[in-house]
Amino acid sequence: MAHATTEHSHAHEAHESHESLKVLGFWIFIVTDILIFGTLFACYAVLHTHTNGGPGAKELFEMPGVIAETFILLTSSFTSGLAMLALHKGKVKQLIAWLAVTAVLGAAFIGLELHEFVVLVEEGHKISSNAFLSAFYTLVGTHGLHVMIGLVWMIALMIQLSRRGITEVTTRKVTNLSLYWHFLDVIWIFVFTVVYLMGVM
Amino acid sequence: MWENIKEFASTFFVTGDPLIYGADVAIVLTSIAIVFVLTYFKKWTWLWREWITTVDHKKIGIMYLIASLLMLFRGGVDALLMRTQLALPNMKFLQADHYNAVFTTHGTIMILFMAMPLMFALFNLVVPLQLGARDVAYPFLNSLSFWLFLMGAMLFNLSFVIGGSPDAGWLSYPPLSELSHSPGVGQNFYIWGIQISGIGSLATGINFLVTILKMRAPGMKMMKMPLFSWSVLSSSIMIIFAFPILTVTLALLFLDRFLGAHFFTMDLGGNPMLYVNLIWMWGHPEVYIVVIPAFGIFSEVVATFSKKKIFGYKSMVFSMMLISIVSFFTWAHHFFTMGSSANVNVFFAISTMVIGIPTGVKVFNWLFTMFRGRITISQPMLWTLGFIPCFVVGGATGVMLAVAPADYQYHNSYFLIAHFHQVLIGGVVFGYLAGMYYWWPKVFGFKLDDRLGKWAFWMWNIGFYVCFMPQYALGFMGMTRRLYTYGSDTGWDLGWAPLNLVSTVGAFLMGIGFIFQVWQISYSIRKGERDLTGDPWGGRTLEWSIPSPAPMYNFAVEPHVTTDDAWWKVKEDRAKGIKPAPVKLEPIHMPKNSAIPFIMSVFWFIAGFGFVFDWMWMAIPGLVGVAGCMLARSFSYDTDYYIPVDEIERTEAALRGRTV
Ligand code: HEM
Ligand SMILES: [Cu+2]
């Protein structure tokens, strides 16, 4: 940190360096989250054939719903990118609007996923049915839980943005959120490929 | 109604054992005493303002230190109970199931609630000061980490009097830890106690990684950083890679028990070996996570008390980083005998032996540093010297265990018990105690008494060899671990009994060593030599350049670093008459205290307790509370402030006035 002359610019600098520190910390948090998903994927890889004679991925998964989910989540990643553009242009209203669109898409994704789970459970394929389904619900469910947490966070940020506008702090927060959202997208692509595509093939 | 309450109480509270009644009484009396003292001396607001809501890394470090020493006591009592039971054949002191609970809680507490927090205590007390930083990267998160650890530890310890202790071993292998074999709540206490504190540990790993990467004083390049900070960096990286695996493993075990999932069960496609692999992918690096900082401490201590630069700085750094990578590729040496192919065993046997090489390099570097140095045998140095032979022998027996075919003989025998205690006590405990003695004057402003310290040291050391050397022999004689008793035939005819008796005597000697330390601390609080210079040992690194105890902002002026051993350089310059350039004080940016970490951790505790007993009416509000606290933090913007220049001037004048 250089030695600033006036107290104001000094304060400003101290703050800014704290904000960039928080972005770095968030990246490392993402690394740990990748490890969490990596471990869950490994468990799924070991257990996905352990159906104990019950139906496997091929019999259970309905691809149209999953493809719709994928499409929705990819679109939401795009709209969160548009939100970032608005942020950099300093347009609060636009930013909040794009975040709202992103949130609606995220909620639609969760709705579809819950629907998929409910249908499976009603047919009698529960988390307790066999090891394959345990691994499936846990892996996909953990991703879904992450999306839900992202939604709550997004709403909290929309409120903060409408109150405070674009500041150093809110900029950092939106940056982290968008990082998180893209990360969930990437994880979903792996889920889609490993669980669904390779499952039904 | 009355019947229902009685029945509930009889399953909820653990009863029927004098030890547990004793614990109940002790808990109640201690709680009453604490409440009384705090109220009588009107200390509640002080406690709340100065400690519970603090974000000062030095205070957080002190709280970690106190908690971990208490846990050392609890784990030590467990150890003595076990050794008493094994002292003679056919002892009737502990029942089989009670013995299982005791070795489980002993192992878990020692590693997760003693070694880890003692390590975090030193991280917090030392790293920012060594780096010339005013704080850690995320002070709020730091406080949260501490409270999560404490709540997790409390939850785990509660199992002793409420519901029943876990008894499936410190790593909880299934199927033992599954509902089918452990239907009680003990296993749930294990899962949630570790899960909650584990989240805190992970956060600490992230915090110190960023602190070390980003908060160093200007001019302190990575290769000018003190070796203790390097060891913390290495340990933090391992935490970041290992703890997420633990989080997932425990979560899956919980799903098995809670929702009837089948990850590790024996039926419906579950695979217990999956658990064994996962837990050791965390467990093996965990051993290095706790031991590497001890290496860092020894490097500081040896250099300071030999009045020499550390020998082979670069090779020290390199070997620590190498260990932190290779430690992730050795996990299967914990189950050589469980039917992997020969090729798999060979890979893990070789990778395990490879770790011995960088470790050996370090030992030689310490020896070369001492060679021709002006050595003072102070307390930190004493523990370091005690460590070296202990660790060398422990390392050698470790390599013996790494020989896969031979492991078929030693596996789960007392030979193994002797080996890992040699590394854990000789390496981790001796190491952290050396660190505690070394930095104690910096933290508290006085030295710990030398004479009592020597008694403690020799009790621990002699006790250690008396306790564990016979166990190598017992291992060869066929005594297996987790054995709660043995008959007169094996005891007297095969000769186990004399060796076991000797071993128990050794354990009690270590207990006496601990008592000496408690005495030493309470004596020194009143009479210990005060440290008025801030640099009682003639230190080399930046933490010794400021008054003891350090002011809340650590450094009134940010130090500018040009070499390694930065403070040594300043002292040399001063001796040559080179005056430091005059500096202007500036307001210092500090984080504000916050109650959120504490409150959030209490909610975690509530949620954990609810999950332990399968009480959703309690678990769900707990989780909602956690989420509420996160939102509350997200909405709070007024989180920092500035210390004005005149206040810094006043503080410094007071401190230096006392100092000079
Ligand atoms: C202070 C002196 C200590 C004594 C006398 C002692 C004694 C014992 C004994 C008797 C056992 C049970 C052996 C068996 O029946 O299987 C045991 C297990 C264990 N100890 Fe210690 N111990 C001490 C310190 C430590 C420390 C400092 C640590 C770790 C930092 C530690 C970690 C463990 C672990 C992980 C186990 C295995 C528990 C299990 O089998 O699940 N111990 N110890
Ligand atoms: Cu290992």
Side-chain angles (χ1 to χ4, degrees), chain A residues 3 11 21 50 52 134 160 173, chain B residues 138 268-269 586 634 637 642:
Chain A
H3 291 262
L21 221 53
H50 294 207
N52 197 43
S134 304
Q160 288 172 34
K173 289 185 177 184
Chain B
Y138 315 113
L268 293 171
E586 283 177 53
S634 175
Y637 276 69
Y642 278 85

Side-chain angles (χ1 to χ4, degrees), chain B residues 280 283-285 287-288 330-331 333-334:
Chain B
W280 280 114
H284 190 79
V287 186
Y288 287 89
T330 63
W331 79 87
H333 63 209
H334 294 275

Side-chain angles (χ1 to χ4, degrees), chain A residues 14-15 18 38 59-60 63 102 108 113 130-131 157-158 187 193:
Chain A
H15 224 99
H18 276 263
E59 291 85 37
L60 291 185
M63 281 316 271
T102 311
E113 187 161 84
N130 55 46
L157 282 195
M158 291 192 295
I187 296 289
T193 318

